[in-house]
Amino acid sequence: MSRSHRQSYSPAIEAAAAREPRRRKGDAPSHAPMAFDAASAPATSAPPTRTWRSTVVGAAIGFGIVLALAMQWLMTWQIDSAQQRREQQKQLRAAASRCYEQASNAAVQACLKEVEARSAAAQP
C-alpha cells in the first residue's frame, strides 16, 4: 500500500471513531455478550448462590458414598463370618471322624454326643 492510499482512509476512520462514544474500563458493552467474547467476563464474580437442587444433589452424592462404604463393610463382614464358619465345621468334622476310631459302639456314640454338645456351645 502506498502512503497516499493510507491517508485517504484515515479521515474516514477518524470520523467513525469520533461518532462512537469512548467507553471507560468499567462500562458495560453496548452489545449483548457472546459466549466466545473474552471481554464479556466480569472482573469480579460473585460466589454462586446455593439452590435447593444443588443441596439435593450433594445429599444424594453423600448418601451414595455412605451406602457404598456400608455395602463394602457388610460384604467384608459376611465373607469373614463365612470363612470362620467353614473353619469351625472343618474342625467339627475332624473331631467326628476321630470318634469313629473308638473301639466300641458306645464309646463312638458318647464321643459324637460330646462333639455335638461342643458345636452347639460354639454357635451363637
Side-chain angles (χ1 to χ4, degrees), residues 74-87:
L74 182 63
M75 290 293 291
T76 304
W77 181 72
Q78 285 181 336
I79 289 170
D80 290 344
S81 62
Q83 186 176 9
Q84 185 180 14
R85 189 173 52 249
R86 277 189 236 112
E87 289 293 323

Side-chain angles (χ1 to χ4, degrees), residues 53-67:
R53 290 183 187 125
S54 63
T55 303
V56 168
V57 168
I61 290 171
F63 181 70
I65 291 170
V66 169
L67 188 62

Side-chain angles (χ1 to χ4, degrees), residues 24-71:
R24 280 183 253 141
K25 206 174 205 177
D27 286 348
S30 60
H31 65 281
M34 302 297 278
F36 54 84
D37 193 3
S40 69
T44 58
S45 61
T49 58
R50 201 166 194 185
T51 63
W52 65 271
R53 290 183 187 125
S54 63
T55 303
V56 168
V57 168
I61 290 171
F63 181 70
I65 291 170
V66 169
L67 188 62
L69 291 174
M71 291 298 288

